[in-house]
Amino acid sequence: MGQLEQRHKRVASHYEVTVRRQLDKRDRPARGKQAKAATVEYKRRPKHAAVDAGALGYMLRTSHADRDVARVLRTYWTLIAVTATFRELKSSLGLRPPYHRLNARVLAHMLISVLAYHAVHPIGTRLRGHGIWLGWQPIREKLRD
């Protein structure tokens, strides 16, 4: 448990974890490296549970305390849109993930991806401005017909 808590400090700080070792023949906790856990109990720390209970549904956390809620939401939705567009570009254009070993090939892959995004993003923005919220696959199918 200690290794997990060290590796995931931010999440571990939200929980209280109790590990109870198996008892030996004399009803004392077993000792040594081979001692096994009988139970692992965890519960949410009250401070974090109260904050989460106040949120009715979706919650975003950020380390940027200087930003207001509207700016955090805009940034989040922009990130979601960029991620979805890149995912669509990878599937529609057949651009595979950059598993290249040579720096020149990795840079070329990134350049093609960014150029494709810059070609597609204004089109998507215009379509959404006209109330068309379709993904790229349905748009391609409509244009094909």
Side-chain angles (χ1 to χ4, degrees), residues 11-68:
V11 174
S13 68
H14 292 243
Y15 293 92
E16 292 176 20
V17 179
T18 307
V19 179
R20 299 192 198 292
R21 290 194 236 163
Q22 286 182 339
L23 300 176
D24 65 7
K25 295 175 186 173
R26 291 179 244 156
D27 289 336
R28 292 187 300 193
R31 296 186 180 262
K33 286 193 171 192
Q34 299 302 320
K36 295 182 181 178
T39 61
V40 177
E41 300 169 357
Y42 65 93
K43 72 177 186 180
R44 187 90 164 147
R45 293 186 192 274
K47 171 183 151 186
H48 299 292
V51 170
D52 291 350
L56 296 176
Y58 207 81
M59 182 185 338
L60 298 176
R61 293 182 190 262
T62 181
S63 59
H64 298 280
D66 59 327
R67 295 185 182 172
D68 62 339

